[in-house]
Amino acid sequence: MRVKSPVNIRIRKGDRVRVLSGKDKGREGTVMRVLRDSNRVIVDGVNRAKRHQRATRATMQGGIIDKDMPVHASSVAIVCPQCGPTRIGMRIDDQGLKTRICRKCGGEL
Ligand SMILES: [Zn+2]
C-alpha cells in the first residue's frame, strides 16, 4: 500500500500572495500559516468567516469573531516584487543549495 506523501508547498509563512479563485479573488495578503498536511495556507484577511463564539466561564463573553479560514495552496499565487503574481521555480546553485526564483524574471523570492 502506498503512503500518500504531503504535496511540497513552496509557499512559506510571510510570503505575499494573491488569491486566484474564490470569493476573495484578486485580494492580496500575507501568509500566516502553512498547513502542509492539507496542502492549504492561511492568508491574512482572506477567506474570513464570522464565527459565533459561545460565552464560556473562561472568556466570560460570547459574540462573533472573525477567523481566517484556510484556502487551498493552488488557489493562491506568490507575488513577485517585479512582476506581480507568478509561479515559483527552483534554482540549485554550485553548492547544491536550492533557491526559490520567479519563473517570469528569474529573480530570487
Ligand atoms: Zn518576477
Side-chain angles (χ1 to χ4, degrees):
M1 184 181 139
R2 274 179 60 182
V3 178
K4 192 180 168 218
S5 61
V7 182
N8 187 20
I9 302 181
R10 285 170 176 170
I11 291 170
R12 292 179 195 154
K13 185 180 173 182
D15 282 347
R16 184 125 189 109
V17 294
R18 181 177 293 185
V19 181
L20 302 176
S21 60
K23 71 182 174 82
D24 288 320
K25 184 177 179 179
R27 187 173 292 191
E28 289 186 13
T30 304
V31 175
M32 308 303 286
R33 273 186 74 187
V34 177
L35 309 168
R36 291 188 183 280
D37 291 346
S38 55
N39 204 23
R40 286 167 194 272
V41 293
I42 296 175
V43 185
D44 186 34
V46 169
N47 206 18
R48 187 158 280 184
K50 297 224 179 287
R51 284 292 187 86
H52 295 263
Q53 179 120 337
R54 196 195 286 177
T56 62
R57 277 179 203 277
T59 60
M60 289 301 284
Q61 61 173 24
I64 300 168
I65 57 163
D66 288 330
K67 193 175 192 312
D68 293 333
M69 303 302 288
V71 293
H72 202 261
S74 65
S75 64
V76 299
I78 195 159
V79 177
C80 170
Q82 267 85 47
C83 24
T86 186
R87 294 180 66 194
I88 300 173
M90 296 300 265
R91 186 177 59 201
I92 300 171
D93 68 12
D94 301 341
Q95 277 86 45
L97 292 170
K98 284 182 186 174
T99 313
R100 298 189 311 170
I101 58 167
C102 167
R103 287 245 184 116
K104 287 181 187 169
C105 69
E108 284 189 19
L109 290 171

